[in-house]
Amino acid sequence: MEHPRPTEATAKQLYGSSLYCAFPDCREPHIEVDQNTGTKVCNTEICHIHARRENGPRWNESQSSEDNKSEMNLLLLCRKHHAVVDDRRNENYYTAGLLKEWKATQESENGNPLASDDLEAIAQTNVLITAETVTLGGEGGAALGAGGGGGAAIGPNAQGGRGGDGGRVHKDGRLADASALVPWTNVLRNSPDNRPPGSGGGGAPAIGDDAVGGRGGDGGEILVGKVDLEEGTYRAIVGRRARLPGEIGGASYLARVAADGSTEPIGPKVGGALSGDSYLADGTPEIDASAIQTGVRVCCLAVVGDATIKDGAHAIGRFALGAWDVHEFPAEIVFNVLTAVTKQPEERMGYFVSLFFNGEEKARRAVGAAVREDGLLSTSFSVPIGAYFENEGRCSIVAHASGISLCETAIEIRRV
């Protein structure tokens, strides 16, 4: 079962009632000005207190469609906290009652008079077209290991996002074409969330002048074959599906279970795939050695707790100085990584921010540095990037491009 989406009028009422994300102590504003383009962008999303779809977070089977799409069942959260609140593993903590308390606190603050360009920014984050035949966001992959569809774009000179690449198919130790999956299509038609296993997610929609839809996520690798097993207990380890900004899908493999409960991989691991936000926009080259020789630099790689734009520059509310405290593992963590680019190259260029843990790349985000009319690149970029951590340890955050490490910082994930 699925309830209708909130109406545009409801969204306007919701955004007009507050200024910031409802998560306690989060001061992420609903609307801010992009220092590169001068246009307004929306940082928050509409979160349902009781889910719109059956089996979703905090689903209430007795709730009517009218109540579900009403303003009373909705609150506004930044992307980071929306992901945390809707994680099913956190459902016992982030209850409907708690979210209603947040909503009341959020709306007790000053209202938010909305200008026309505010509404355009809101529409880009929360697509409010309600006709049943219209879908702007890209569809997820419809077959085993298929890439997700690119997001649609509306507006003058707008461009739809590119679809994700399909995952590689390995059969009996060799690369094979997709026909090798035919016998398994009906057996493994859908995962528990009704998407084919290994498929990439759909790209995000975009609205506005020169808008570009999000790239679809890539499909994960698929291994087809037979293996002779000795007597014993085995477990299929299914890689985690990526859901955080830039998160890379987890690896899947077959493991033998030892008497003490530990597991040992049997055969190769099949890797997950990159999300759509791990790629630079089409036509944007990476910073390379020749650009570095002209003085282009990426620096000031820092993890920050709060970063807002004030007077055209990032205002930092809190730095995470070398450590990130976690009360309980496993944990989903989204970092705000602040980078700065100096000196203008001859063209728009880009780079990547990756998060590594125990030598494994867990997430990657692409950053496109636009050329400004004043002859300088933008002063700074705040890049959310997230990963799933099962235990404490040391992780590295690296800015890189064209195989060159541009700058790096380390942060300790610790239990408190």
Side-chain angles (χ1 to χ4, degrees), residues 31-355:
I31 306 293
E32 65 181 354
V33 178
D34 187 303
Q35 62 178 347
N36 302 318
T37 64
T39 58
K40 290 184 177 179
V41 294
C42 182
N43 296 318
T44 53
E45 301 171 333
I46 295 175
C47 173
H48 283 71
I49 295 175
H50 293 292
R52 191 167 72 87
R53 297 183 179 90
E54 190 172 2
N55 297 322
R58 301 169 299 278
W59 168 256
N60 181 357
E61 62 180 9
S62 64
Q63 188 177 49
S64 69
S65 291
E66 283 301 313
D67 288 343
N68 184 268
K69 70 176 184 178
S70 74
E71 186 269 342
M72 295 301 296
N73 188 51
L74 308 171
L75 79 162
L76 298 172
L77 295 171
C78 66
R79 294 175 177 83
K80 175 176 72 174
H81 289 128
H82 193 176
V84 170
V85 165
D86 278 359
D87 188 328
R88 297 299 298 271
R89 294 168 304 174
N90 299 333
E91 203 167 298
N92 290 335
Y93 182 80
Y94 296 116
T95 63
L98 180 63
L99 267 59
K100 290 176 182 178
E101 293 178 10
W102 291 359
K103 178 179 176 66
T105 301
Q106 181 185 48
E107 296 181 352
S108 66
E109 301 177 351
N110 294 330
N112 183 22
L114 297 175
S116 59
D117 51 355
D118 291 335
L119 299 177
E120 182 178 340
I122 292 166
Q124 291 187 34
T125 299
N126 303 278
V127 178
L128 304 172
I129 297 176
T130 57
E132 293 298 325
T133 57
V134 177
T135 301
L136 281 186
E139 294 288 337
L144 301 178
I154 295 177
N157 301 315
Q159 178 181 344
R162 176 185 165 191
D165 296 331
R168 295 183 299 177
V169 179
H170 302 263
K171 182 177 182 181
D172 299 326
R174 297 183 178 182
L175 287 176
D177 60 39
S179 62
L181 302 177
V182 172
W184 301 93
T185 301
N186 292 328
V187 178
L188 300 174
R189 180 172 297 276
N190 286 319
S191 57
D193 60 356
N194 295 319
R195 279 179 50 192
S199 60
I207 302 175
D209 294 356
D210 302 311
V212 179
R215 187 188 193 278
D218 291 343
E221 294 186 312
I222 294 180
L223 177 64
V224 179
K226 298 179 180 179
V227 61
D228 294 326
L229 299 176
E230 300 176 355
E231 183 177 354
T233 302
Y234 296 85
R235 180 181 301 160
I237 308 297
V238 179
R240 167 186 159 87
R241 171 162 282 164
R243 59 172 62 94
L244 301 176
E247 185 180 9
I248 299 172
S252 299
Y253 55 95
L254 181 66
R256 183 184 180 111
V257 182
D260 62 0
S262 61
T263 58
E264 179 183 357
I266 302 296
K269 292 185 177 182
V270 181
L274 295 173
S275 61
D277 55 8
S278 300
Y279 291 89
L280 290 169
D282 289 346
T284 301
E286 299 178 35
I287 292 174
D288 55 17
S290 61
I292 293 173
Q293 289 175 356
T294 66
V296 176
R297 296 288 185 271
V298 177
C299 57
C300 299
L301 196 64
V303 178
V304 298
D306 305 291
T308 59
I309 295 178
K310 182 178 181 180
D311 299 327
H314 274 99
I316 307 304
R318 175 170 58 90
F319 279 97
L321 298 175
W324 192 279
D325 294 336
V326 177
H327 293 283
E328 185 176 351
F329 289 97
E332 290 184 340
I333 302 177
V334 177
F335 301 108
N336 282 321
V337 179
L338 192 67
T339 68
V341 182
T342 60
K343 194 174 187 320
Q344 176 181 339
E346 296 180 356
E347 58 184 338
R348 177 187 178 95
M349 305 190 80
Y351 58 99
F352 303 95
V353 174
S354 290
L355 189 156

